[in-house]
Every structure is written in C-alpha cells, then in structure tokens.
C-alpha cells in the first residue's frame, strides 16, 4: 500500500498541497514542522535540504516544491481526472498554468512585496501589465483554465489568487474574485482549510 507523509506548517504554501491531497482522496500522515527549529533540524534536512515546506514522502521517494507535489498527486489518481490524459494538448495546457502560477505569478508578487523587482527583460515574470493581462485572458474563457472540468491548474491558480487577494497583495479584480470563489467552495478545499485553520488555533493557544 502506498504511504504518503506530508510535511507542512499551517502558515505556509503547504495549504495548497493539502488541498490537493484532499482532492486526491488518498490517506496521508501529516508532520507539522516549525520555522527555524524542526524545519532546519538534521532529520528534516535529510528529507528536504532546503529546510522548507511543503514536502511529500511517497514510499521511498521525496517530492518537494508545491507544484511538483500537486502534479505528482494528480498522477496518482488518474480516475479523478485532475490532469488531462498524457500526450494531449490539454495536458500541456495544464502544465503551463500550474507552472505559470507557481513561477512567474508567485515570483512577481513576492518580489514586488519586498521591493526587489528585476528588470522586465531579465525576469521570468516580465512586467505587471503583461502578467495581469495574461492571467485575466486565461480566466476570461470561463470557469476552468483547461477544458470543461476542474483540474490541478484550477486548484493552484485559485489558491494563489484567493490568498493574495485576501492579504491585499493582488488587486481584487472581478474576474479573479469570481474564479477563485467558485473553486474555493469545493469540499476538498473546505476540508483542507478547516484542518489548517484548526492547527493555527492550536498554535495560538500554545503560544
């Protein structure tokens, strides 16, 4: 039987990976790590030398990086059709939008937040106008980024847009709000958020 161990913290990008775990419906064990202590301890550095979360141990294989975890989990449950069939144009489009969200979009917002934007010609995220036009164009076609059903691309994009709008790091444009809200109401998203919110409450009580 496949064994999945999920390393995370409720104040981390691990919330996205947890949503994907809930969508996949696979049983998993969770290990909650703390910043600066157990994340940097030798036991965890042997799993992820970056000392960051999330990470996923699948039997003897370790997968790090949020996008990689989500795509790997989607591959484990082909019956859920969270990824289009291999070799199809839709599969390529799904890869495109997962990695666009995890790369240019998130990198731009993080860099802007800390006042360290690179020149547009050097940065993968280009400039803000091009980036936002690309996101809006992708979402203008309807409820789903790829085809006519929910995919891992929607999970990743909706999670990022929802989070960054909530903390005020992304303008709450109507198309962003409508798209994110539709997917964040999914039962798996609700279960994942409930678990992480419960962990936050536990942390606050013990602080």
């Amino acid at each position: 039987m496949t064994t999945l161990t999920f390393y995370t913290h409720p104040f981390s990008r691990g919330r996205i990976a947890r949503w994907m775990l809930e969508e996949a419906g696979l049983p998993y064990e969770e290990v909650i790590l703390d910043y600066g202590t157990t994340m940097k301890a030798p036991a965890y550095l042997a799993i992820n030398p970056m000392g960051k979360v999330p990470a996923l141990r699948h039997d003897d294989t370790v997968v790090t990086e949020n996008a990689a975890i989500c795509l790997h989990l989607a591959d484990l449950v082909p019956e859920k059709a969270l990824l289009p069939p291999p070799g199809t144009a839709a599969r390529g489009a799904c890869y495109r939008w997962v990695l666009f969200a995890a790369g240019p979009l998130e990198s731009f917002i993080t860099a802007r937040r800390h006042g360290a934007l690179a020149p547009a010609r050097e940065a993968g995220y280009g400039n803000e106008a091009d980036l936002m036009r690309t996101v809006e164009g992708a979402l203008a076609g309807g409820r789903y980024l790829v085809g006519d059903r929910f995919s891992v691309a929607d999970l990743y994009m909706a999670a990022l847009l929802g989070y960054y709008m909530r903390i005020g790091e992304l303008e709450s444009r109507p198309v962003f709000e409508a798209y994110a809200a539709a997917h964040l109401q999914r039962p798996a998203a609700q279960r994942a958020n409930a678990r992480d919110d419960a962990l936050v409450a536990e942390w606050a009580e013990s602080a």
Side-chain angles (χ1 to χ4, degrees), residues 110-178:
T110 301
R112 183 181 63 182
R113 180 176 186 176
H114 294 282
L117 286 174
R121 290 184 62 182
E122 296 181 23
Y125 47 71
N127 62 54
E128 182 173 6
D130 290 345
L131 191 70
M132 292 300 107
R133 184 177 65 250
T134 300
V135 177
E136 282 197 304
L139 303 182
R143 183 168 182 170
Y144 305 109
L145 278 168
V146 180
D148 59 359
R149 63 176 297 155
F150 179 82
S151 72
V152 63
D154 295 307
L155 183 152
Y156 212 101
M157 185 69 79
L160 279 190
L161 294 181
Y163 172 70
Y164 283 123
M165 287 190 293
R166 187 170 70 252
I167 67 171
E169 291 294 332
L170 185 65
E171 179 186 350
S172 295
R173 302 184 183 189
V175 67
F176 295 171
E177 291 179 349

Side-chain angles (χ1 to χ4, degrees), residues 18-145:
R18 188 188 291 279
W19 179 6
M20 188 62 198
L21 279 161
E22 293 295 332
E23 289 285 352
L26 296 170
Y28 64 93
E29 301 173 354
E30 66 173 27
V31 178
I32 308 303
L33 301 171
D34 289 324
Y35 289 101
T37 57
T38 49
M39 273 188 217
K40 300 299 183 183
Y44 184 62
L45 292 177
I47 295 166
N48 183 2
M50 288 289 288
K52 296 176 73 67
V53 292
L56 182 75
R57 183 191 289 277
H58 173 195
D59 295 334
D60 295 327
T61 299
V62 172
V63 184
T64 65
E65 314 317 314
N66 232 355
I69 292 170
C70 290
L71 291 168
H72 180 69
L73 288 168
D75 267 333
L76 293 182
V77 286
E79 71 278 7
K80 302 252 182 197
L82 294 166
L83 269 173
T88 63
R91 179 81 160 223
C94 203
Y95 286 152
R96 174 192 180 186
W97 292 117
V98 170
L99 297 179
F100 178 88
L105 180 58
E106 188 169 9
S107 296
F108 170 80
I109 294 173
T110 301
R112 183 181 63 182
R113 180 176 186 176
H114 294 282
L117 286 174
R121 290 184 62 182
E122 296 181 23
Y125 47 71
N127 62 54
E128 182 173 6
D130 290 345
L131 191 70
M132 292 300 107
R133 184 177 65 250
T134 300
V135 177
E136 282 197 304
L139 303 182
R143 183 168 182 170
Y144 305 109
L145 278 168

